[in-house]
């Protein structure tokens, strides 16, 4: 053991003996620090970047170096430094660009000289976009977020009692990471995180990704990632002249090359465009650097503005690559004011490396298991952006507190404070946390009591649950739901257990059973809250119910990457429930209650459903072709594939052990998400299904369609028809269905004054359904993001049965859904 220790000490000593620290500050002409200035060795992409205090640090072996100091908007400096065995300090003061406009005279009506440069850059854009074929680089990312102010209350909760007050102002998030980033055309990516450090979480892993810095202005459209659903037009895109005006601010020389500084000016408010400055090299017409903004008019999501700054560095005689990229995010929403800075430093480029066979796979981002084990000495030697005093203090304070904050006494004290009952808990439900054991006990609120229908009358319900998590991301969820009908005097109870035992393979068991009231369409097309409103205030009883005594077990897993399987079996004893009340707030003449049997009309006005037993098995396979995913040490995260997803479902009704059903049903579905650049994005889904045999299909096993007969839009628009009756066209034969919803992201409304400020966005859809008895098409056009969560649609439908129908629908939307349903049955 002593020999190993001695060897280690000698190795560390030898490394230290042959390298020295070069430190200093980079300031402007007034000695103000320049944050995120670049410092690198001439002819390489090895170097460092200053922190927010303008400080930099480099570890170099003894020798003579030519160092380049650069910052957007300032003249580049080259300084020679001799590094010996002792630390060296070198402070550099950069001067503003010496902009020249000699012999440039712009007369009235003449084209600004900037257009000559931009047009040349547009012609060369595709050449630089295709360079190089592939590369590998080292990437360092630092992310820091600050909270500047908070409201005193939020959604009825006193934030100060929840520990969110002025004491939290300052740094709320600080992390660093080092990765190896690999790229090969046309779009293969692989990123491996080698080291990770998160302030206050010694065991945590950063979410920093090099791919988040893929702001490539050689592309026609630039994706802002999670900042916005829109794509933004590059200042040198093929169509840029339609969206931008340009002004040549001036020129300056850098290493013998003439650099054009061009102001980028949006032609119209509301277009998905940048503003700011782009620097173009004369003759080669490549990008030198950028200093661009996305502002409120660009329609960012929950972000006030976003600043992107890039600096390119020479990799070889013909190729320049991004060296440093910084994002500055400013947020002011709901009383919270925050700003965040993310710096990405790309170094040690290897151009067109010989990647091994099968090097690129579905795994696009991986975190090594030892990434969070690197000590402080490692970070001192490897981080290219030194910490400021504030950042060092944040690490020291939060890391020392993390042991205390993860202790049982401390977590229990936090729980005692946060578990105090509030008025909002009475309405929306109460949760009791035990952070130390990662356990959460919860119950539904009074909203779950709002349930009235003609079968049960007033039928309040309550759901009790417990969630238990483990460090390895395993999860156990237990729940019990109780409900009582005061008119039919029928109690309902069901229990459910879900155990996710292998998070890496998404493997889980689900077991449930009980005696509970259920809708004939198990997708629950109408929520209890909406049905209550229509029953009491409109005299309509759309919800059709039966009593089900059942047991069900389901197993789910991902057998290989991209293929998820589900297998389940259930035994159901379905019994009849009849209407027991006709009470409504409307007059008798306006009551249109119908029999509680979805097949009553199709059976010629006679009761069809008389109850039966059903033993069912279900098999389902979902295939995501070329599925891409993230790998963290304790979990796998699938991300959206660029190919459509294929779903195969099979259900068999077994006529054994008293079961009265006998059928085979097969359904095939294809769905995908698409983007059309500045014209928005959308989703489509196609489905075909048929009963291969249908000797005996029960009422609950018919192919039901998620219809809607209310003014409230269905939540799942990719599986719903907004004007279709709930059960009239259910079938036990075959069906074809198609859905398409397109979100224009303000393509038109963003150009209308005043309306633009409201950030409304257009949406349109088309839905089609065909069965042996029905041909149905539905068109919709609407406005979404009204107050961020409201959506209104005008929907028109035509069929060979209904002819023409139309109506307006409203929905509270969360990420594109319809009505937010509140139910204790889920």
């Amino acid at each position: 053991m002593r020999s190993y220790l001695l060897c280690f000490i000698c190795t560390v000593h030898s490394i230290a003996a042959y390298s020295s620290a070069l430190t200093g500050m980079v300031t402007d002409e007034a000695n103000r620090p320049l944050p995120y200035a670049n410092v690198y060795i001439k002819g390489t992409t090895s170097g460092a970047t200053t922190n927010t205090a303008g400080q930099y640090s480099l570890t170099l072996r003894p020798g003579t170096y030519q160092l380049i100091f650069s910052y957007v908007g300032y003249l580049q400096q080259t300084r020679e430094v001799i590094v010996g065995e002792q630390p060296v300090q070198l402070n550099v003061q950069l001067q503003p660009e010496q902009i020249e406009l000699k012999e440039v005279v712009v007369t009235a009506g003449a084209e600004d000289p900037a257009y000559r440069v931009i047009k040349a850059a547009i012609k060369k854009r595709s050449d630089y976009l295709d360079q190089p074929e592939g590369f590998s680089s080292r990437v360092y990312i630092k992310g820091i977020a600050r909270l500047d102010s908070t409201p005193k209350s939020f959604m009825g909760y006193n934030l100060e009692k929840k520990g969110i007050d002025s004491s939290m102002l300052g740094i709320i998030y600080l992390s660093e990471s080092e990765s190896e980033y690999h790229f090969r055309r046309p779009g293969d990516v692989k990123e491996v995180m080698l080291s990770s450090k998160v302030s206050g979480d010694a065991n945590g892993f950063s979410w920093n990704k090099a791919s988040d810095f893929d702001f490539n202005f050689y592309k026609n459209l630039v994706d802002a990632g999670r900042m916005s659903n829109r794509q933004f037009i590059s200042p040198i895109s093929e169509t840029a002249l339609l969206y931008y005006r340009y002004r040549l601010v001036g020129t300056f020389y850098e290493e013998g090359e003439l650099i054009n500084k061009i102001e980028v000016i949006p032609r119209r408010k509301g277009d998905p465009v940048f503003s700011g400055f782009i620097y173009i090299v004369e003759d080669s017409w490549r990008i030198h650097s950028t200093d661009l903004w996305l502002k409120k008019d660009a329609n960012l999501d929950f972000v006030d503005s976003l600043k992107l700054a890039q600096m390119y560095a020479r990799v070889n005689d013909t190729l320049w690559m991004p060296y440093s990229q910084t994002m500055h995010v400013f947020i002011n929403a709901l009383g919270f004011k925050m700003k965040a800075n993310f710096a990405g430093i790309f170094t040690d480029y290897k151009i067109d490396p010989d990647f091994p066979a099968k090097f690129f796979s579905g795994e696009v981002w991986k975190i090594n298991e030892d990434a969070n084990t690197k000590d402080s000495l490692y970070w001192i030697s490897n981080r290219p952006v030194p910490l400021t005093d504030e950042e060092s203090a944040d690490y020291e304070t939060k890391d020392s507190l993390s042991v205390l904050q993860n202790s049982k006494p401390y977590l229990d004290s936090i729980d005692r404070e946060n578990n105090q009952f509030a008025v909002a808990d009475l309405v929306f439900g109460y949760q009791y946390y035990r952070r130390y054991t990662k356990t959460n006990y919860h119950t539904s609120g009074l909203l779950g009591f709002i349930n009235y229908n003609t079968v049960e009358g007033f039928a309040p319900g309550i759901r009790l649950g417990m969630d238990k998590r483990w460090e390895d991301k395993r999860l156990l969820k237990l729940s019990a739901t109780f409900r009582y009908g005061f008119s039919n005097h029928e109690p309902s109870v069901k229990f459910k257990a879900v155990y996710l035992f292998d998070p890496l393979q998404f493997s889980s068991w689900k077991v449930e059973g009980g005696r509970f009231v259920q809708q004939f369409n198990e997708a629950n097309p109408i929520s209890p809250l909406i049905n209550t409103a229509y029953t009491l205030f409109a005299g309509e009883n759309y919800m059709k119910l039966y009593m089900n005594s059942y047991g069900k077990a389901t197993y789910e897993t991902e057998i290989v990457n991209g293929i998820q399987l589900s297998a389940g079996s259930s035994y159901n004893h379905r019994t009849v429930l009849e209407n027991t009340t006709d009470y409504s707030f409307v007059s008798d003449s306006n009551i249109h209650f119908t029999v509680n049997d979805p097949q009553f009309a199709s059976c010629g006005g006679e009761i069809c459903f008389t109850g039966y037993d059903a033993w069912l098995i279900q098999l389902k396979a979902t295939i995501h072709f070329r599925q891409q995913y993230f790998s963290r040490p304790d979990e796998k995260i699938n991300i959206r594939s660029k190919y459509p997803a294929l779903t195969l479902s099979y259900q068999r009704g077994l006529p054994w052990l008293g079961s009265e059903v006998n059928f085979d049903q097969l359904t095939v579905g294809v769905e995908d998400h698409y983007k059309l650049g500045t014209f928005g994005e959308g989703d489509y889904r196609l489905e075909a299904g048929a009963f291969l045999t249908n000797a005996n299909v029960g009422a609950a096993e018919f192919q039901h369609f998620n219809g809607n007969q209310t003014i409230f839009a269905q939540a799942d628009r990719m599986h719903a028809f907004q004007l279709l009756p709930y059960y009239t066209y259910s079938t036990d034969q075959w069906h074809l269905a198609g859905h398409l919803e397109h979100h224009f992201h303000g393509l038109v409304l963003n150009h209308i004054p005043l309306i633009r400020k409201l950030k409304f966005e257009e949406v349109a859809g088309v839905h089609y359904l065909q069965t042996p008895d029905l041909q149905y098409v539905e068109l919709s056009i609407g406005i979404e993001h009204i107050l961020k969560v409201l959506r209104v649609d005008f929907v028109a439908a035509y069929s060979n049965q209904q002819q023409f129908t139309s109506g307006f629908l409203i929905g509270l939307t969360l990420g594109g859904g319809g009505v937010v349903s509140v139910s204790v049955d889920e």
Side-chain angles (χ1 to χ4, degrees), residues 50 149 160 171 251 293 355 379 449 497 622 684 733 753 790 820:
T50 62
S149 65
E160 292 184 353
I171 296 177
T251 61
W293 284 81
F355 294 114
W379 284 104
F449 278 61
T622 302
Y684 72 83
Q733 298 185 52
L790 191 64
V820 178

Side-chain angles (χ1 to χ4, degrees), residues 357-497:
K358 299 182 179 181
F359 179 80
F360 294 98
S361 62
E363 186 181 53
V364 296
W365 186 52
K366 176 185 177 182
I367 301 179
N368 287 342
E369 289 189 12
D370 64 345
N372 61 355
T373 63
K374 304 299 190 291
D375 60 17
S376 58
L377 291 177
Y378 172 90
W379 284 104
I380 291 173
S381 301
N382 286 273
R383 65 165 59 96
V385 182
L387 299 177
T388 64
D389 291 340
E390 182 187 23
E391 292 166 353
S392 296
D394 189 77
Y395 271 133
E396 184 177 349
T397 301
K398 290 180 179 176
D399 289 350
S400 61
L401 287 175
S402 65
V403 177
L404 169 64
Q405 292 174 341
N406 288 315
S407 66
K408 187 176 186 300
Y410 179 84
L411 293 176
D412 287 347
S413 67
I414 295 297
D415 288 338
R416 281 193 295 271
E417 183 68 29
N418 290 339
N419 288 335
Q420 292 183 16
F421 193 81
V423 175
D425 297 327
L426 184 65
V427 178
F428 297 105
Y430 175 71
Q431 301 193 59
Y432 182 85
Y433 290 99
R434 297 297 301 272
R435 283 171 170 77
Y436 187 74
T437 60
K438 292 182 172 58
T439 308
N440 176 26
Y441 303 92
H442 49 88
T443 179
S444 56
L446 289 179
L447 281 179
F449 278 61
I450 304 176
N451 184 11
Y452 179 84
N453 58 74
T454 55
V455 173
E456 301 170 283
F458 176 51
I462 185 170
R463 183 176 183 271
L464 307 176
M466 186 273 285
D467 302 338
K468 165 67 179 175
R469 298 180 183 273
W470 286 268
E471 292 290 345
D472 59 4
K473 297 298 176 73
R474 286 180 297 128
L475 171 64
L476 174 65
K477 302 182 73 171
L478 303 175
S479 65
T481 306
F482 305 91
R483 174 165 150 180
Y484 184 78
F486 277 87
S487 180
N488 68 347
H489 308 292
E490 287 278 3
S492 295
V493 60
K494 65 179 178 179
F495 303 93
K496 186 175 182 179

Side-chain angles (χ1 to χ4, degrees), residues 402-701:
S402 65
V403 177
L404 169 64
Q405 292 174 341
N406 288 315
S407 66
K408 187 176 186 300
Y410 179 84
L411 293 176
D412 287 347
S413 67
I414 295 297
D415 288 338
R416 281 193 295 271
E417 183 68 29
N418 290 339
N419 288 335
Q420 292 183 16
F421 193 81
V423 175
D425 297 327
L426 184 65
V427 178
F428 297 105
Y430 175 71
Q431 301 193 59
Y432 182 85
Y433 290 99
R434 297 297 301 272
R435 283 171 170 77
Y436 187 74
T437 60
K438 292 182 172 58
T439 308
N440 176 26
Y441 303 92
H442 49 88
T443 179
S444 56
L446 289 179
L447 281 179
F449 278 61
I450 304 176
N451 184 11
Y452 179 84
N453 58 74
T454 55
V455 173
E456 301 170 283
F458 176 51
I462 185 170
R463 183 176 183 271
L464 307 176
M466 186 273 285
D467 302 338
K468 165 67 179 175
R469 298 180 183 273
W470 286 268
E471 292 290 345
D472 59 4
K473 297 298 176 73
R474 286 180 297 128
L475 171 64
L476 174 65
K477 302 182 73 171
L478 303 175
S479 65
T481 306
F482 305 91
R483 174 165 150 180
Y484 184 78
F486 277 87
S487 180
N488 68 347
H489 308 292
E490 287 278 3
S492 295
V493 60
K494 65 179 178 179
F495 303 93
K496 186 175 182 179
V498 180
Y499 180 43
L500 176 66
F501 61 89
D502 185 355
L504 294 177
Q505 294 295 123
F506 306 100
S507 300
S508 67
W509 276 103
K510 299 179 182 179
V511 180
E512 62 179 295
R515 181 178 183 271
F516 208 84
V517 174
Q518 292 185 352
Q519 296 189 45
F520 281 90
N521 183 349
E522 65 179 4
N524 297 324
I526 184 168
S527 74
L529 188 62
I530 295 175
N531 185 74
T532 298
Y534 267 79
T535 303
L536 291 175
F537 296 98
E540 301 282 3
N541 61 335
Y542 294 126
M543 184 180 286
K544 303 305 176 187
L545 303 166
Y546 68 94
M547 182 65 76
N548 194 24
S549 301
Y550 72 105
K552 183 177 182 179
T554 305
Y555 173 73
E556 296 181 358
T557 190
E558 184 180 58
I559 55 172
V560 296
N561 178 52
I563 301 181
Q564 294 175 299
L565 291 183
S566 172
S569 179
S570 66
Y571 198 93
N572 308 267
H573 176 61
R574 312 191 196 277
T575 56
V576 176
L577 292 176
E578 298 179 349
N579 291 334
T580 61
T581 178
D582 60 0
Y583 180 77
S584 178
F585 294 157
V586 300
S587 62
D588 292 344
S589 61
N590 292 320
I591 292 179
H592 307 287
F593 291 155
T594 57
V595 175
N596 184 47
D597 184 345
Q599 297 175 318
F600 182 75
S602 62
C603 288
E606 297 182 1
I607 299 295
C608 286
F609 177 66
T610 57
Y612 59 92
D613 288 357
W615 183 8
L616 306 173
I617 61 170
Q618 295 99 8
L619 300 175
K620 181 178 180 180
T622 302
I623 304 172
H624 297 273
F625 298 97
R626 300 195 66 179
Q627 171 73 64
Q628 294 183 328
Y629 61 94
F630 300 155
S631 291
R632 294 171 69 87
D634 51 4
E635 66 180 326
K636 179 189 179 204
I637 303 171
N638 290 334
I639 59 177
R640 179 176 283 160
S641 171
K642 63 180 180 180
Y643 298 98
L646 174 66
T647 301
L648 303 171
S649 300
Y650 171 75
Q651 182 171 228
R652 168 70 169 146
L654 298 171
W656 306 332
L657 300 178
S659 172
E660 301 168 58
V661 296
N662 186 3
F663 66 87
D664 297 86
Q665 184 187 18
L666 179 66
T667 306
V668 180
V670 176
E671 60 185 55
D672 197 13
H673 179 83
Y674 64 88
K675 289 188 176 183
L676 297 180
T678 57
F679 290 94
E681 61 184 329
D683 298 273
Y684 72 83
R685 184 175 185 275
L686 304 174
E687 180 180 288
F691 285 85
L692 307 180
T693 63
N694 60 354
N696 194 354
V697 182
E701 286 73 51

Side-chain angles (χ1 to χ4, degrees), residues 335-346:
F336 294 91
K337 288 186 178 180
M338 293 181 285
K339 57 177 175 286
N341 299 322
F342 297 90
I345 313 301
F346 293 69

Side-chain angles (χ1 to χ4, degrees), residues 108-124:
E111 185 176 71
D112 192 286
Y115 285 86
R116 175 189 65 86
V117 178
I118 290 296
K119 289 177 181 178
I122 291 173
K123 288 183 179 180
K124 292 286 291 183

